[in-house]
Amino acid sequence: MDSKNITILGIESSCDDTSAAIIRDGVILSNVVAGQKVHEEYGGVVPELASRAHQQNIIPVVDRALTRAAISKEEISAVAFTNGPGLLGSLLVGTSFAKGFSLAAGVPLIDVNHLQGHVLALFIKENGVEFNPPNFPFLCLLVSGGNSQIILVRDYLDMEVIGQTIDDAAGEAFDKCAKVMGLPYPGGPHVDRLAKEGDPLKFEFSRPRIPGLNYSFSGLKTNFLYFLRDKLKENKNFIEENQKDLCASLQYTIIDILMAKLKRAARETGIKEITVAGGVSANSGLRNALKENAAKYRWNLVIPKFEYTMDNAAMIAITGYYKYLNKEFTNQNIVPFARTQL
Ligand code: KG4
């Protein structure tokens, strides 16, 4: 198979972002992401509204991705799409679009696991930008609104989840606690901003006692909720008066939980190549904690460009590229799944 000019159209629609991207020979040509404001007033993603918004966004988003990449439909070698995990109604929109495109253009169809996409985002090349990917094997801390995992990556298409949350994801902990404090959705970036001026040791919240490399965030969420409920009984202005310290202490606890298991994973596997992915990796406190630990334990730390850590189709297209090289194609019978394993 000719490995030059392999041009992959990537489609991502697993949650509330509709995205399309074009990657040629591993180099990004375009990455278009349409967010969905419709969920803001509900304080979280409403699945039915998400599917409907994907349906409206998908064609214009793909069109924009082709225009920005300055290529025609005829130049596409294959179409790659997210087939899980995610919201089923949302996934169905991207899957159906990709199937239709593949059939109409007569190009192969490639199914991509969303989590694998987050990891392989580390291998997206940009013209004129130095390319510093991690070396195999490496560990990836994947932290987003829907996932909190430690993944052992042996090769592009060979990875294993060695630790994961048994309940809520780290992003959910940020968002749900932020909601209790009356902050807008998604709350993670607001907590991050306010935490910068707060005291991380002012309040102490509970940490889970989970064996091995797994995570749990539901106890912290409940602890935070009950703590505020009790404090509000004494002082109805408690949140406003302590908002920055509450955010700083909450963020400090979440980061502490995440880092404890990551350090343990590095120790147990002996791997010093450490990476991070997912929306929560934008958190400034987490980035600082990763850098401090990298210096202390001599890790080679690779943090991807912010644009590729959030949900986006570039990560689906790059995974499609490696699967294309490996001739891993699927067919028109493929269906998406809300829950899928790596
Ligand atoms: O990967 P992503 O874009 O999509 C989902 O999996 O949903 O991650 C979104 C998550 C949300 O929970 C959001 O609050 C969180 O990432 N997030 C942050 C920050 N920026 C985004 N959490 C903490 N600090 C941030 N700066």
Side-chain angles (χ1 to χ4, degrees), residues 25-62:
D25 299 332
V27 179
I28 188 86
L29 299 185
S30 66
N31 182 37
V32 176
V33 183
Q36 303 180 353
K37 292 218 167 296
V38 66
H39 308 288
E40 272 171 19
E41 64 181 286
Y42 299 96
V45 177
V46 184
E48 269 200 39
L49 297 179
S51 321
R52 225 171 270 145
H54 281 304
Q55 194 79 266
Q56 287 170 326
N57 291 343
I58 189 92
I59 302 277
V61 163
V62 172

PDB file of all heavy atoms in Angstrom, residues 25-62:
ATOM      1  N   ASP A  25      -0.879  11.974   6.010  1.00  0.00           N
ATOM      2  CA  ASP A  25       0.412  11.374   6.405  1.00  0.00           C
ATOM      3  C   ASP A  25       0.802  11.799   7.835  1.00  0.00           C
ATOM      4  O   ASP A  25       1.970  12.103   8.110  1.00  0.00           O
ATOM      5  CB  ASP A  25       1.513  11.752   5.409  1.00  0.00           C
ATOM      6  CG  ASP A  25       1.202  11.239   4.008  1.00  0.00           C
ATOM      7  OD1 ASP A  25       0.503  10.207   3.904  1.00  0.00           O
ATOM      8  OD2 ASP A  25       1.631  11.875   3.034  1.00  0.00           O
ATOM      9  N   GLY A  26      -0.168  11.829   8.708  1.00  0.00           N
ATOM     10  CA  GLY A  26       0.096  12.148  10.121  1.00  0.00           C
ATOM     11  C   GLY A  26       0.141  13.632  10.432  1.00  0.00           C
ATOM     12  O   GLY A  26       0.283  14.019  11.597  1.00  0.00           O
ATOM     13  N   VAL A  27       0.026  14.488   9.405  1.00  0.00           N
ATOM     14  CA  VAL A  27       0.113  15.939   9.610  1.00  0.00           C
ATOM     15  C   VAL A  27      -1.292  16.544   9.554  1.00  0.00           C
ATOM     16  O   VAL A  27      -2.062  16.268   8.631  1.00  0.00           O
ATOM     17  CB  VAL A  27       1.008  16.602   8.525  1.00  0.00           C
ATOM     18  CG1 VAL A  27       1.076  18.116   8.740  1.00  0.00           C
ATOM     19  CG2 VAL A  27       2.390  15.984   8.513  1.00  0.00           C
ATOM     20  N   ILE A  28      -1.599  17.380  10.536  1.00  0.00           N
ATOM     21  CA  ILE A  28      -2.946  17.966  10.601  1.00  0.00           C
ATOM     22  C   ILE A  28      -3.134  19.017   9.502  1.00  0.00           C
ATOM     23  O   ILE A  28      -2.275  19.872   9.288  1.00  0.00           O
ATOM     24  CB  ILE A  28      -3.188  18.598  12.000  1.00  0.00           C
ATOM     25  CG1 ILE A  28      -4.628  19.046  12.178  1.00  0.00           C
ATOM     26  CG2 ILE A  28      -2.245  19.732  12.306  1.00  0.00           C
ATOM     27  CD1 ILE A  28      -5.534  17.981  12.661  1.00  0.00           C
ATOM     28  N   LEU A  29      -4.250  18.927   8.786  1.00  0.00           N
ATOM     29  CA  LEU A  29      -4.587  19.942   7.780  1.00  0.00           C
ATOM     30  C   LEU A  29      -5.741  20.809   8.274  1.00  0.00           C
ATOM     31  O   LEU A  29      -5.830  21.985   7.964  1.00  0.00           O
ATOM     32  CB  LEU A  29      -4.968  19.287   6.441  1.00  0.00           C
ATOM     33  CG  LEU A  29      -3.899  18.433   5.740  1.00  0.00           C
ATOM     34  CD1 LEU A  29      -4.396  17.968   4.379  1.00  0.00           C
ATOM     35  CD2 LEU A  29      -2.591  19.210   5.563  1.00  0.00           C
ATOM     36  N   SER A  30      -6.658  20.201   9.041  1.00  0.00           N
ATOM     37  CA  SER A  30      -7.748  20.992   9.632  1.00  0.00           C
ATOM     38  C   SER A  30      -8.369  20.218  10.780  1.00  0.00           C
ATOM     39  O   SER A  30      -8.309  18.985  10.820  1.00  0.00           O
ATOM     40  CB  SER A  30      -8.820  21.316   8.581  1.00  0.00           C
ATOM     41  OG  SER A  30      -9.456  20.125   8.165  1.00  0.00           O
ATOM     42  N   ASN A  31      -8.948  20.967  11.732  1.00  0.00           N
ATOM     43  CA  ASN A  31      -9.619  20.353  12.888  1.00  0.00           C
ATOM     44  C   ASN A  31     -10.724  21.321  13.311  1.00  0.00           C
ATOM     45  O   ASN A  31     -10.442  22.357  13.906  1.00  0.00           O
ATOM     46  CB  ASN A  31      -8.608  20.145  14.028  1.00  0.00           C
ATOM     47  CG  ASN A  31      -9.220  19.461  15.235  1.00  0.00           C
ATOM     48  OD1 ASN A  31     -10.070  18.579  15.097  1.00  0.00           O
ATOM     49  ND2 ASN A  31      -8.802  19.865  16.424  1.00  0.00           N
ATOM     50  N   VAL A  32     -11.944  20.983  12.960  1.00  0.00           N
ATOM     51  CA  VAL A  32     -13.071  21.886  13.235  1.00  0.00           C
ATOM     52  C   VAL A  32     -13.922  21.289  14.355  1.00  0.00           C
ATOM     53  O   VAL A  32     -14.300  20.120  14.299  1.00  0.00           O
ATOM     54  CB  VAL A  32     -13.936  22.081  11.959  1.00  0.00           C
ATOM     55  CG1 VAL A  32     -15.161  22.935  12.258  1.00  0.00           C
ATOM     56  CG2 VAL A  32     -13.101  22.689  10.847  1.00  0.00           C
ATOM     57  N   VAL A  33     -14.185  22.089  15.391  1.00  0.00           N
ATOM     58  CA  VAL A  33     -14.987  21.602  16.521  1.00  0.00           C
ATOM     59  C   VAL A  33     -16.162  22.555  16.742  1.00  0.00           C
ATOM     60  O   VAL A  33     -15.959  23.754  16.911  1.00  0.00           O
ATOM     61  CB  VAL A  33     -14.155  21.528  17.829  1.00  0.00           C
ATOM     62  CG1 VAL A  33     -14.998  20.937  18.973  1.00  0.00           C
ATOM     63  CG2 VAL A  33     -12.881  20.717  17.638  1.00  0.00           C
ATOM     64  N   ALA A  34     -17.378  22.004  16.711  1.00  0.00           N
ATOM     65  CA  ALA A  34     -18.565  22.816  17.022  1.00  0.00           C
ATOM     66  C   ALA A  34     -19.099  22.381  18.368  1.00  0.00           C
ATOM     67  O   ALA A  34     -19.539  21.247  18.545  1.00  0.00           O
ATOM     68  CB  ALA A  34     -19.624  22.630  15.943  1.00  0.00           C
ATOM     69  N   GLY A  35     -19.023  23.272  19.354  1.00  0.00           N
ATOM     70  CA  GLY A  35     -19.549  22.965  20.691  1.00  0.00           C
ATOM     71  C   GLY A  35     -21.068  23.125  20.679  1.00  0.00           C
ATOM     72  O   GLY A  35     -21.651  23.567  19.689  1.00  0.00           O
ATOM     73  N   GLN A  36     -21.716  22.747  21.784  1.00  0.00           N
ATOM     74  CA  GLN A  36     -23.173  22.846  21.851  1.00  0.00           C
ATOM     75  C   GLN A  36     -23.572  23.656  23.077  1.00  0.00           C
ATOM     76  O   GLN A  36     -23.531  23.165  24.194  1.00  0.00           O
ATOM     77  CB  GLN A  36     -23.791  21.447  21.911  1.00  0.00           C
ATOM     78  CG  GLN A  36     -23.395  20.561  20.726  1.00  0.00           C
ATOM     79  CD  GLN A  36     -24.023  19.178  20.796  1.00  0.00           C
ATOM     80  OE1 GLN A  36     -24.653  18.822  21.776  1.00  0.00           O
ATOM     81  NE2 GLN A  36     -23.840  18.410  19.738  1.00  0.00           N
ATOM     82  N   LYS A  37     -23.978  24.900  22.850  1.00  0.00           N
ATOM     83  CA  LYS A  37     -24.322  25.792  23.962  1.00  0.00           C
ATOM     84  C   LYS A  37     -25.635  25.393  24.633  1.00  0.00           C
ATOM     85  O   LYS A  37     -25.911  25.788  25.762  1.00  0.00           O
ATOM     86  CB  LYS A  37     -24.425  27.229  23.454  1.00  0.00           C
ATOM     87  CG  LYS A  37     -23.093  27.817  23.021  1.00  0.00           C
ATOM     88  CD  LYS A  37     -23.010  29.285  23.417  1.00  0.00           C
ATOM     89  CE  LYS A  37     -21.611  29.859  23.305  1.00  0.00           C
ATOM     90  NZ  LYS A  37     -20.646  29.263  24.193  1.00  0.00           N
ATOM     91  N   VAL A  38     -26.426  24.594  23.914  1.00  0.00           N
ATOM     92  CA  VAL A  38     -27.767  24.241  24.379  1.00  0.00           C
ATOM     93  C   VAL A  38     -27.777  23.604  25.774  1.00  0.00           C
ATOM     94  O   VAL A  38     -28.764  23.695  26.498  1.00  0.00           O
ATOM     95  CB  VAL A  38     -28.444  23.327  23.314  1.00  0.00           C
ATOM     96  CG1 VAL A  38     -27.737  21.991  23.195  1.00  0.00           C
ATOM     97  CG2 VAL A  38     -29.898  23.104  23.606  1.00  0.00           C
ATOM     98  N   HIS A  39     -26.638  22.989  26.185  1.00  0.00           N
ATOM     99  CA  HIS A  39     -26.618  22.272  27.474  1.00  0.00           C
ATOM    100  C   HIS A  39     -26.359  23.179  28.677  1.00  0.00           C
ATOM    101  O   HIS A  39     -26.601  22.779  29.807  1.00  0.00           O
ATOM    102  CB  HIS A  39     -25.547  21.176  27.442  1.00  0.00           C
ATOM    103  CG  HIS A  39     -25.668  20.279  26.253  1.00  0.00           C
ATOM    104  ND1 HIS A  39     -26.675  19.361  26.130  1.00  0.00           N
ATOM    105  CD2 HIS A  39     -24.942  20.197  25.124  1.00  0.00           C
ATOM    106  CE1 HIS A  39     -26.543  18.731  24.966  1.00  0.00           C
ATOM    107  NE2 HIS A  39     -25.501  19.229  24.338  1.00  0.00           N
ATOM    108  N   GLU A  40     -25.843  24.384  28.401  1.00  0.00           N
ATOM    109  CA  GLU A  40     -25.407  25.265  29.496  1.00  0.00           C
ATOM    110  C   GLU A  40     -26.482  25.490  30.553  1.00  0.00           C
ATOM    111  O   GLU A  40     -26.237  25.403  31.752  1.00  0.00           O
ATOM    112  CB  GLU A  40     -24.943  26.612  28.939  1.00  0.00           C
ATOM    113  CG  GLU A  40     -23.476  26.584  28.565  1.00  0.00           C
ATOM    114  CD  GLU A  40     -23.049  27.826  27.808  1.00  0.00           C
ATOM    115  OE1 GLU A  40     -23.750  28.856  27.861  1.00  0.00           O
ATOM    116  OE2 GLU A  40     -21.994  27.743  27.140  1.00  0.00           O
ATOM    117  N   GLU A  41     -27.710  25.747  30.082  1.00  0.00           N
ATOM    118  CA  GLU A  41     -28.769  26.084  31.054  1.00  0.00           C
ATOM    119  C   GLU A  41     -29.196  24.889  31.887  1.00  0.00           C
ATOM    120  O   GLU A  41     -29.878  25.037  32.898  1.00  0.00           O
ATOM    121  CB  GLU A  41     -29.972  26.706  30.345  1.00  0.00           C
ATOM    122  CG  GLU A  41     -30.658  25.775  29.376  1.00  0.00           C
ATOM    123  CD  GLU A  41     -31.844  26.451  28.688  1.00  0.00           C
ATOM    124  OE1 GLU A  41     -32.878  26.619  29.349  1.00  0.00           O
ATOM    125  OE2 GLU A  41     -31.710  26.792  27.497  1.00  0.00           O
ATOM    126  N   TYR A  42     -28.780  23.672  31.484  1.00  0.00           N
ATOM    127  CA  TYR A  42     -29.157  22.475  32.252  1.00  0.00           C
ATOM    128  C   TYR A  42     -28.049  22.031  33.211  1.00  0.00           C
ATOM    129  O   TYR A  42     -28.225  21.082  33.966  1.00  0.00           O
ATOM    130  CB  TYR A  42     -29.500  21.313  31.308  1.00  0.00           C
ATOM    131  CG  TYR A  42     -30.661  21.632  30.397  1.00  0.00           C
ATOM    132  CD1 TYR A  42     -30.436  22.101  29.103  1.00  0.00           C
ATOM    133  CD2 TYR A  42     -31.969  21.503  30.842  1.00  0.00           C
ATOM    134  CE1 TYR A  42     -31.499  22.427  28.271  1.00  0.00           C
ATOM    135  CE2 TYR A  42     -33.038  21.826  30.019  1.00  0.00           C
ATOM    136  CZ  TYR A  42     -32.792  22.281  28.729  1.00  0.00           C
ATOM    137  OH  TYR A  42     -33.835  22.602  27.914  1.00  0.00           O
ATOM    138  N   GLY A  43     -26.888  22.654  33.125  1.00  0.00           N
ATOM    139  CA  GLY A  43     -25.786  22.307  34.021  1.00  0.00           C
ATOM    140  C   GLY A  43     -25.180  20.953  33.714  1.00  0.00           C
ATOM    141  O   GLY A  43     -24.555  20.339  34.583  1.00  0.00           O
ATOM    142  N   GLY A  44     -25.338  20.460  32.509  1.00  0.00           N
ATOM    143  CA  GLY A  44     -24.764  19.167  32.120  1.00  0.00           C
ATOM    144  C   GLY A  44     -25.278  18.797  30.741  1.00  0.00           C
ATOM    145  O   GLY A  44     -26.208  19.435  30.229  1.00  0.00           O
ATOM    146  N   VAL A  45     -24.668  17.776  30.129  1.00  0.00           N
ATOM    147  CA  VAL A  45     -25.062  17.391  28.766  1.00  0.00           C
ATOM    148  C   VAL A  45     -26.392  16.641  28.791  1.00  0.00           C
ATOM    149  O   VAL A  45     -26.553  15.671  29.524  1.00  0.00           O
ATOM    150  CB  VAL A  45     -23.963  16.517  28.114  1.00  0.00           C
ATOM    151  CG1 VAL A  45     -24.393  16.050  26.733  1.00  0.00           C
ATOM    152  CG2 VAL A  45     -22.656  17.279  28.033  1.00  0.00           C
ATOM    153  N   VAL A  46     -27.349  17.097  27.978  1.00  0.00           N
ATOM    154  CA  VAL A  46     -28.643  16.411  27.852  1.00  0.00           C
ATOM    155  C   VAL A  46     -28.562  15.545  26.589  1.00  0.00           C
ATOM    156  O   VAL A  46     -28.502  16.076  25.471  1.00  0.00           O
ATOM    157  CB  VAL A  46     -29.812  17.427  27.740  1.00  0.00           C
ATOM    158  CG1 VAL A  46     -31.148  16.702  27.704  1.00  0.00           C
ATOM    159  CG2 VAL A  46     -29.754  18.426  28.888  1.00  0.00           C
ATOM    160  N   PRO A  47     -28.518  14.208  26.721  1.00  0.00           N
ATOM    161  CA  PRO A  47     -28.249  13.325  25.579  1.00  0.00           C
ATOM    162  C   PRO A  47     -29.122  13.575  24.348  1.00  0.00           C
ATOM    163  O   PRO A  47     -28.600  13.654  23.231  1.00  0.00           O
ATOM    164  CB  PRO A  47     -28.480  11.926  26.147  1.00  0.00           C
ATOM    165  CG  PRO A  47     -28.167  12.071  27.602  1.00  0.00           C
ATOM    166  CD  PRO A  47     -28.654  13.451  27.976  1.00  0.00           C
ATOM    167  N   GLU A  48     -30.422  13.732  24.531  1.00  0.00           N
ATOM    168  CA  GLU A  48     -31.306  13.919  23.356  1.00  0.00           C
ATOM    169  C   GLU A  48     -30.994  15.200  22.612  1.00  0.00           C
ATOM    170  O   GLU A  48     -31.016  15.249  21.383  1.00  0.00           O
ATOM    171  CB  GLU A  48     -32.762  13.969  23.816  1.00  0.00           C
ATOM    172  CG  GLU A  48     -33.379  12.589  23.795  1.00  0.00           C
ATOM    173  CD  GLU A  48     -34.894  12.665  23.773  1.00  0.00           C
ATOM    174  OE1 GLU A  48     -35.454  13.547  23.076  1.00  0.00           O
ATOM    175  OE2 GLU A  48     -35.473  11.848  24.471  1.00  0.00           O
ATOM    176  N   LEU A  49     -30.715  16.256  23.379  1.00  0.00           N
ATOM    177  CA  LEU A  49     -30.392  17.536  22.734  1.00  0.00           C
ATOM    178  C   LEU A  49     -29.058  17.433  22.005  1.00  0.00           C
ATOM    179  O   LEU A  49     -28.859  18.028  20.946  1.00  0.00           O
ATOM    180  CB  LEU A  49     -30.332  18.659  23.784  1.00  0.00           C
ATOM    181  CG  LEU A  49     -31.638  18.954  24.519  1.00  0.00           C
ATOM    182  CD1 LEU A  49     -31.434  20.070  25.532  1.00  0.00           C
ATOM    183  CD2 LEU A  49     -32.728  19.358  23.521  1.00  0.00           C
ATOM    184  N   ALA A  50     -28.145  16.652  22.590  1.00  0.00           N
ATOM    185  CA  ALA A  50     -26.820  16.484  21.962  1.00  0.00           C
ATOM    186  C   ALA A  50     -26.969  15.800  20.602  1.00  0.00           C
ATOM    187  O   ALA A  50     -26.398  16.251  19.605  1.00  0.00           O
ATOM    188  CB  ALA A  50     -25.907  15.672  22.875  1.00  0.00           C
ATOM    189  N   SER A  51     -27.763  14.723  20.541  1.00  0.00           N
ATOM    190  CA  SER A  51     -27.924  13.998  19.265  1.00  0.00           C
ATOM    191  C   SER A  51     -28.495  14.927  18.198  1.00  0.00           C
ATOM    192  O   SER A  51     -28.040  14.950  17.054  1.00  0.00           O
ATOM    193  CB  SER A  51     -28.894  12.819  19.401  1.00  0.00           C
ATOM    194  OG  SER A  51     -28.727  12.177  20.613  1.00  0.00           O
ATOM    195  N   ARG A  52     -29.497  15.701  18.606  1.00  0.00           N
ATOM    196  CA  ARG A  52     -30.144  16.603  17.645  1.00  0.00           C
ATOM    197  C   ARG A  52     -29.156  17.657  17.137  1.00  0.00           C
ATOM    198  O   ARG A  52     -29.107  17.955  15.940  1.00  0.00           O
ATOM    199  CB  ARG A  52     -31.329  17.279  18.333  1.00  0.00           C
ATOM    200  CG  ARG A  52     -32.547  17.280  17.462  1.00  0.00           C
ATOM    201  CD  ARG A  52     -33.759  17.754  18.220  1.00  0.00           C
ATOM    202  NE  ARG A  52     -34.451  16.647  18.855  1.00  0.00           N
ATOM    203  CZ  ARG A  52     -35.063  16.730  20.026  1.00  0.00           C
ATOM    204  NH1 ARG A  52     -35.051  17.841  20.712  1.00  0.00           N
ATOM    205  NH2 ARG A  52     -35.688  15.691  20.515  1.00  0.00           N
ATOM    206  N   ALA A  53     -28.362  18.207  18.046  1.00  0.00           N
ATOM    207  CA  ALA A  53     -27.389  19.233  17.638  1.00  0.00           C
ATOM    208  C   ALA A  53     -26.322  18.627  16.719  1.00  0.00           C
ATOM    209  O   ALA A  53     -25.886  19.261  15.756  1.00  0.00           O
ATOM    210  CB  ALA A  53     -26.746  19.867  18.866  1.00  0.00           C
ATOM    211  N   HIS A  54     -25.912  17.382  16.986  1.00  0.00           N
ATOM    212  CA  HIS A  54     -24.943  16.715  16.094  1.00  0.00           C
ATOM    213  C   HIS A  54     -25.527  16.618  14.681  1.00  0.00           C
ATOM    214  O   HIS A  54     -24.836  16.852  13.694  1.00  0.00           O
ATOM    215  CB  HIS A  54     -24.644  15.296  16.584  1.00  0.00           C
ATOM    216  CG  HIS A  54     -23.678  15.239  17.728  1.00  0.00           C
ATOM    217  ND1 HIS A  54     -22.420  15.799  17.678  1.00  0.00           N
ATOM    218  CD2 HIS A  54     -23.769  14.666  18.956  1.00  0.00           C
ATOM    219  CE1 HIS A  54     -21.796  15.579  18.822  1.00  0.00           C
ATOM    220  NE2 HIS A  54     -22.598  14.907  19.618  1.00  0.00           N
ATOM    221  N   GLN A  55     -26.810  16.242  14.639  1.00  0.00           N
ATOM    222  CA  GLN A  55     -27.492  16.079  13.348  1.00  0.00           C
ATOM    223  C   GLN A  55     -27.444  17.389  12.548  1.00  0.00           C
ATOM    224  O   GLN A  55     -27.243  17.388  11.347  1.00  0.00           O
ATOM    225  CB  GLN A  55     -28.947  15.669  13.627  1.00  0.00           C
ATOM    226  CG  GLN A  55     -29.709  15.132  12.458  1.00  0.00           C
ATOM    227  CD  GLN A  55     -29.349  13.686  12.171  1.00  0.00           C
ATOM    228  OE1 GLN A  55     -28.491  13.438  11.350  1.00  0.00           O
ATOM    229  NE2 GLN A  55     -29.987  12.757  12.845  1.00  0.00           N
ATOM    230  N   GLN A  56     -27.601  18.507  13.265  1.00  0.00           N
ATOM    231  CA  GLN A  56     -27.570  19.814  12.586  1.00  0.00           C
ATOM    232  C   GLN A  56     -26.151  20.211  12.209  1.00  0.00           C
ATOM    233  O   GLN A  56     -25.924  20.831  11.185  1.00  0.00           O
ATOM    234  CB  GLN A  56     -28.146  20.899  13.508  1.00  0.00           C
ATOM    235  CG  GLN A  56     -29.643  20.794  13.644  1.00  0.00           C
ATOM    236  CD  GLN A  56     -30.164  21.705  14.751  1.00  0.00           C
ATOM    237  OE1 GLN A  56     -29.506  21.922  15.764  1.00  0.00           O
ATOM    238  NE2 GLN A  56     -31.360  22.226  14.565  1.00  0.00           N
ATOM    239  N   ASN A  57     -25.181  19.841  13.050  1.00  0.00           N
ATOM    240  CA  ASN A  57     -23.808  20.332  12.864  1.00  0.00           C
ATOM    241  C   ASN A  57     -22.965  19.528  11.882  1.00  0.00           C
ATOM    242  O   ASN A  57     -22.026  20.057  11.292  1.00  0.00           O
ATOM    243  CB  ASN A  57     -23.060  20.319  14.208  1.00  0.00           C
ATOM    244  CG  ASN A  57     -23.584  21.351  15.179  1.00  0.00           C
ATOM    245  OD1 ASN A  57     -24.274  22.282  14.784  1.00  0.00           O
ATOM    246  ND2 ASN A  57     -23.268  21.193  16.454  1.00  0.00           N
ATOM    247  N   ILE A  58     -23.266  18.250  11.761  1.00  0.00           N
ATOM    248  CA  ILE A  58     -22.289  17.343  11.116  1.00  0.00           C
ATOM    249  C   ILE A  58     -21.906  17.752   9.688  1.00  0.00           C
ATOM    250  O   ILE A  58     -20.722  17.817   9.356  1.00  0.00           O
ATOM    251  CB  ILE A  58     -22.763  15.862  11.203  1.00  0.00           C
ATOM    252  CG1 ILE A  58     -21.662  14.919  10.743  1.00  0.00           C
ATOM    253  CG2 ILE A  58     -24.035  15.584  10.431  1.00  0.00           C
ATOM    254  CD1 ILE A  58     -20.786  14.434  11.830  1.00  0.00           C
ATOM    255  N   ILE A  59     -22.899  18.078   8.859  1.00  0.00           N
ATOM    256  CA  ILE A  59     -22.570  18.415   7.460  1.00  0.00           C
ATOM    257  C   ILE A  59     -21.761  19.716   7.376  1.00  0.00           C
ATOM    258  O   ILE A  59     -20.677  19.739   6.776  1.00  0.00           O
ATOM    259  CB  ILE A  59     -23.852  18.499   6.579  1.00  0.00           C
ATOM    260  CG1 ILE A  59     -24.618  17.165   6.631  1.00  0.00           C
ATOM    261  CG2 ILE A  59     -23.522  18.936   5.153  1.00  0.00           C
ATOM    262  CD1 ILE A  59     -24.155  16.078   5.725  1.00  0.00           C
ATOM    263  N   PRO A  60     -22.225  20.817   8.008  1.00  0.00           N
ATOM    264  CA  PRO A  60     -21.407  22.039   7.938  1.00  0.00           C
ATOM    265  C   PRO A  60     -20.004  21.872   8.519  1.00  0.00           C
ATOM    266  O   PRO A  60     -19.042  22.448   8.000  1.00  0.00           O
ATOM    267  CB  PRO A  60     -22.203  23.057   8.780  1.00  0.00           C
ATOM    268  CG  PRO A  60     -23.555  22.487   8.972  1.00  0.00           C
ATOM    269  CD  PRO A  60     -23.512  21.027   8.703  1.00  0.00           C
ATOM    270  N   VAL A  61     -19.877  21.061   9.565  1.00  0.00           N
ATOM    271  CA  VAL A  61     -18.561  20.881  10.193  1.00  0.00           C
ATOM    272  C   VAL A  61     -17.616  20.134   9.244  1.00  0.00           C
ATOM    273  O   VAL A  61     -16.448  20.524   9.074  1.00  0.00           O
ATOM    274  CB  VAL A  61     -18.711  20.142  11.555  1.00  0.00           C
ATOM    275  CG1 VAL A  61     -17.388  19.570  12.028  1.00  0.00           C
ATOM    276  CG2 VAL A  61     -19.262  21.092  12.609  1.00  0.00           C
ATOM    277  N   VAL A  62     -18.101  19.095   8.596  1.00  0.00           N
ATOM    278  CA  VAL A  62     -17.260  18.352   7.641  1.00  0.00           C
ATOM    279  C   VAL A  62     -16.898  19.260   6.464  1.00  0.00           C
ATOM    280  O   VAL A  62     -15.746  19.297   6.006  1.00  0.00           O
ATOM    281  CB  VAL A  62     -17.975  17.065   7.145  1.00  0.00           C
ATOM    282  CG1 VAL A  62     -17.190  16.415   6.018  1.00  0.00           C
ATOM    283  CG2 VAL A  62     -18.172  16.089   8.302  1.00  0.00           C
TER     284      VAL A  62
END
